[in-house]
Amino acid sequence: MPITQNTPIVSPVGRDTPRLDGPRKVSGLAQYTSDFRFPAMLYAVPVEATIANGRVVKLEAAAAEKMPGVRAIFHRENIGKIFRSVLEPGFESVCEERRPPFEDDVVRYYGQYIALAVADTFETAKAAADAVRVTYVKEKPNVETDLKADPDPAVVATTFGPYERLESHRGDAEGAFASAPVKLDQTYVTPAETHNPLELHATTAIWDGSTLTLYESSQGVVNLQGVLAQMFGLPKENVRVISKFVGSGFGSKLWPWTQCPLAAAAARKLGKPVKLVVSRKMMFQTVGHRARTQQRVRLGATPVGKLVSLQHDYVYERSMLEAHHEDCGEATPFQYSVPNLRVTFGRARRNVGATTDMRGPGRTPGLYAIESAMNELADQLKIDPVKLRILNEPKIDESLGIPFSSRHLLECFHLGANKFGWSRRSPEVGSMKRDGLTLGWGMAGCSWVAARFSAEASVELRDDGTARVACATQDIGTGTYTILAQLASQKTGVPLAKVEVALGDTALPAGPLSGGSMATASVVPAVFAAADNAIASLLGIATMTPGSPFENRPPKDLAFDGGRVFVKADGAAKSVPFDNLLRRANLRLVSGSGKSEATIGNPKPKFSTHSFGCHFVEVTWQPEIARLRVSRVVTVMDAGRIINPLAGRNQIVGAVVMGIGMALLEHTTYDPQNGAPINSNLADYVVAVNADVPPIDVHFLDFPDKEMNELGARGIGEIGLTGVAAAITEAVHHATGVRVRELPVKIENLLA
Ligand code: MOS
């Protein structure tokens, strides 16, 4: 038996690691949901309501049904039973549109599915859907942009459970505001925004007896399994959801939408696989959007800038049917030190599709308002905005009265200001020039919650020296395949190239949502525990295998390091690779399972866990031609240990790009006549593209957060977007003198 020298392996954690799935993606081998094909598969195209408020009184399908190649036109009378779903304990079976498709004849929003054409080809199905004639009783839709709170009770039911509308309070916010020597009272508006991941939402449904398999573009296969099991009255184990590659989601694919049960119901009726791909136009109607918000912020301060009162009263738009909670006040109670505070919310029903989570839900519009108000207060007081924030930095989470697990926001400000050259800023409007352009400099702080969902994982060590790690989470383009491989490699010593990763399938151990920036932090303890259990099993085997160099040793005398086993007392020099021991025992593999508990929803946390950061932004302004450009961004993130800095920077850069879109371009606008999203395509819904994107300089602080997991990793998917818009609007003011408080900033706002 060869006993070779133990070679120290370099830890893959914390190193720039290119995505392991990259080659498969760029070569076209990666199969996205709509790439899967099955024998006898049929194509479904929904019929969209062309009103936003009213009822369907007649649906004429005869002509469509007669078209060659059409298999069925489904509607309320013939789709079959689809049950409602309900929230389950432990944040399971979440859905933002509980009314099953075709449950009634009431139309609540433009584009609501009212029938479904199924045919042999996509083209035939589309033609058939277009041939269905619908008669409506129509009423004027309410898509009013001014948001006044509906008369709701003090506690409201939301998608995520009951919420008190008095979200947070301490001291006497109104009294302290009334007597404050310096006051600010402004209202900030953010528009409805629509997620536009490159990959369209898609479902392919296949029945085998009473077992349903769904290929779905999903950020949460386990959640979707729970919802669909309820909708079809099946035990969970009879529903399998597969989502191997996802062309991003930004939150729109967190929860199931109505196309999914529709495809499943049609497949059940026809006894054939049915594929339904949502069109780009439908993406603006039926798969959620970020709610419009209107947020009044009142700040009271001393003349030197110490906050004495903070009131944040916001109203958000919601659909007629559902109750997504757009939690704009999530960060308000702890972002700054202030003795008197009140946060309240109200909701305004509109005839629009369901609102839902979009990257940094709640906090992104919320921090836009709070950070804008802080910038305006700094301007009013003639204090540097960084200084104002430092002056109001809290020592603990003042809303919960507990310490932060790890908060290094001041270090973010210092590093960001330093890298940006902030000390050279002259505060007067229009006072800075370069190359004939007027410069505007602005900054803002930001934060995002850090927590874990429950997670399970398995790790296998195999006789060919490879390892496999499995977890029913998803990779939505963020790098989860690579993270799982890094974690398994770290523990087992198997090089990255020899680690197989399985995810995106409910047949695997139940994994977390790719949401809330929580997937990475959630899987760390589960994968590590699974690897430890696989290694423990290996050590046991090593002591029991006849002829093994470790035969009859107590397992506790053995150690495992870098993929090799040795006797602790002898040291690593006399070590044996694990695959050698497996072959000796005639075992293909040993496996271990691991599980970690959720921290989200803990009613009595010991620590307040969040990531923090800041953005420094430069814009250039040419008043002669009203041309505004973001020309430079420095972003600093305090997000715990970064497991893959390469993928991590990519997340932050992408989020800052999205923030440029939020500040200057993105809005979904509804036609007041028919309630349709007017700009429901990628030509009219303008997002930031390469030409809009300046150099973005991203820095991570390295403060591992041991409250999160043993690596100290938090999450980085969303925080990069929070705060960007406030930094940009501050820079716009610095350049132009115009305070824009309704996003996006439009050229016409800047024309004096
Ligand atoms: Mo994110 S909005 O949790 O996908």
Short mmCIF file of all heavy atoms in Angstrom, two decimals, residues 219 249-252 254 357-361 448 476 514-517 718, ligand 1:
data_model
loop_
_atom_site.label_atom_id
_atom_site.label_comp_id
_atom_site.label_asym_id
_atom_site.label_seq_id
_atom_site.Cartn_x
_atom_site.Cartn_y
_atom_site.Cartn_z
N GLN A 219 -36.79 29.81 -8.02
CA GLN A 219 -35.83 30.15 -6.97
C GLN A 219 -36.12 29.35 -5.70
O GLN A 219 -35.48 29.57 -4.67
CB GLN A 219 -35.92 31.64 -6.63
CG GLN A 219 -35.47 32.56 -7.75
CD GLN A 219 -35.63 34.03 -7.39
OE1 GLN A 219 -36.35 34.74 -8.06
NE2 GLN A 219 -34.98 34.49 -6.32
N GLY A 249 -33.79 35.59 -11.59
CA GLY A 249 -35.17 35.74 -11.13
C GLY A 249 -35.42 37.07 -10.44
O GLY A 249 -36.46 37.67 -10.61
N PHE A 250 -34.45 37.54 -9.66
CA PHE A 250 -34.58 38.80 -8.92
C PHE A 250 -35.78 38.80 -7.98
O PHE A 250 -36.28 39.86 -7.62
CB PHE A 250 -34.65 40.00 -9.87
CG PHE A 250 -33.49 40.09 -10.82
CD1 PHE A 250 -33.68 40.00 -12.19
CD2 PHE A 250 -32.20 40.25 -10.34
CE1 PHE A 250 -32.61 40.07 -13.06
CE2 PHE A 250 -31.12 40.33 -11.21
CZ PHE A 250 -31.32 40.23 -12.58
N GLY A 251 -36.27 37.63 -7.63
CA GLY A 251 -37.43 37.54 -6.73
C GLY A 251 -38.70 37.09 -7.43
O GLY A 251 -39.60 36.55 -6.80
N SER A 252 -38.75 37.30 -8.74
CA SER A 252 -40.00 36.94 -9.44
C SER A 252 -40.22 35.43 -9.48
O SER A 252 -41.33 34.97 -9.70
CB SER A 252 -40.00 37.51 -10.86
OG SER A 252 -39.01 36.87 -11.65
N LEU A 254 -39.33 33.41 -6.89
CA LEU A 254 -39.32 32.85 -5.52
C LEU A 254 -40.56 32.00 -5.28
O LEU A 254 -40.49 30.93 -4.70
CB LEU A 254 -39.31 33.99 -4.49
CG LEU A 254 -37.98 34.64 -4.19
CD1 LEU A 254 -38.21 35.87 -3.32
CD2 LEU A 254 -37.06 33.66 -3.47
N ASP A 357 -41.80 40.14 -3.97
CA ASP A 357 -40.42 40.47 -3.68
C ASP A 357 -39.65 40.78 -4.95
O ASP A 357 -39.72 40.02 -5.91
CB ASP A 357 -39.74 39.28 -2.98
CG ASP A 357 -40.35 39.01 -1.61
OD1 ASP A 357 -40.41 39.94 -0.82
OD2 ASP A 357 -40.75 37.86 -1.36
N MET A 358 -38.95 41.86 -4.94
CA MET A 358 -37.97 42.13 -6.00
C MET A 358 -36.68 42.53 -5.29
O MET A 358 -36.72 43.29 -4.31
CB MET A 358 -38.46 43.23 -6.95
CG MET A 358 -37.48 43.56 -8.06
SD MET A 358 -38.32 44.55 -9.34
CE MET A 358 -36.90 45.24 -10.19
N ARG A 359 -35.59 42.04 -5.78
CA ARG A 359 -34.26 42.23 -5.18
C ARG A 359 -34.23 43.32 -4.10
O ARG A 359 -34.45 44.49 -4.38
CB ARG A 359 -33.25 42.56 -6.28
CG ARG A 359 -31.82 42.28 -5.88
CD ARG A 359 -30.88 42.53 -7.02
NE ARG A 359 -29.60 41.86 -6.82
CZ ARG A 359 -28.65 41.80 -7.73
NH1 ARG A 359 -28.82 42.36 -8.90
NH2 ARG A 359 -27.53 41.17 -7.49
N GLY A 360 -33.94 42.89 -2.88
CA GLY A 360 -33.94 43.83 -1.76
C GLY A 360 -35.33 44.34 -1.45
O GLY A 360 -35.52 45.54 -1.22
N PRO A 361 -36.34 43.45 -1.44
CA PRO A 361 -37.73 43.92 -1.24
C PRO A 361 -37.84 44.73 0.05
O PRO A 361 -37.20 44.42 1.05
CB PRO A 361 -38.54 42.63 -1.15
CG PRO A 361 -37.57 41.55 -0.80
CD PRO A 361 -36.28 41.97 -1.45
N TRP A 448 -28.69 45.03 4.72
CA TRP A 448 -29.60 43.94 4.36
C TRP A 448 -29.56 42.88 5.45
O TRP A 448 -28.51 42.64 6.05
CB TRP A 448 -29.22 43.31 2.99
CG TRP A 448 -30.23 42.27 2.59
CD1 TRP A 448 -30.07 40.92 2.53
CD2 TRP A 448 -31.60 42.51 2.22
NE1 TRP A 448 -31.24 40.30 2.16
CE2 TRP A 448 -32.20 41.25 1.97
CE3 TRP A 448 -32.39 43.67 2.11
CZ2 TRP A 448 -33.54 41.12 1.61
CZ3 TRP A 448 -33.72 43.53 1.74
CH2 TRP A 448 -34.27 42.28 1.48
N ILE A 476 -29.35 30.48 -9.14
CA ILE A 476 -30.11 31.39 -10.01
C ILE A 476 -29.16 32.30 -10.79
O ILE A 476 -29.54 33.37 -11.24
CB ILE A 476 -31.16 32.19 -9.22
CG1 ILE A 476 -30.51 33.07 -8.13
CG2 ILE A 476 -32.16 31.24 -8.58
CD1 ILE A 476 -31.48 34.07 -7.50
N SER A 514 -33.52 30.26 -2.94
CA SER A 514 -32.50 31.22 -3.39
C SER A 514 -33.13 32.59 -3.22
O SER A 514 -33.58 33.21 -4.18
CB SER A 514 -32.13 30.98 -4.85
OG SER A 514 -31.60 29.69 -5.00
N GLY A 515 -33.21 33.03 -1.98
CA GLY A 515 -33.91 34.27 -1.71
C GLY A 515 -33.45 34.88 -0.41
O GLY A 515 -32.84 34.22 0.43
N GLY A 516 -33.75 36.17 -0.28
CA GLY A 516 -33.38 36.88 0.94
C GLY A 516 -31.87 36.95 1.14
O GLY A 516 -31.41 37.25 2.23
N SER A 517 -31.10 36.65 0.11
CA SER A 517 -29.64 36.57 0.21
C SER A 517 -29.23 35.58 1.29
O SER A 517 -28.26 35.80 2.01
CB SER A 517 -29.02 37.95 0.51
OG SER A 517 -29.44 38.89 -0.44
N GLU A 718 -28.46 40.85 -2.38
CA GLU A 718 -29.38 41.98 -2.48
C GLU A 718 -28.82 43.30 -1.97
O GLU A 718 -29.20 44.37 -2.45
CB GLU A 718 -30.67 41.64 -1.71
CG GLU A 718 -31.38 40.50 -2.43
CD GLU A 718 -32.51 39.87 -1.64
OE1 GLU A 718 -32.24 38.98 -0.83
OE2 GLU A 718 -33.66 40.27 -1.85
MO1 MOS B 1 -34.73 37.94 -3.60
S1 MOS B 1 -36.22 39.37 -3.86
O1 MOS B 1 -35.19 37.27 -2.13
O2 MOS B 1 -34.92 36.93 -4.94
#
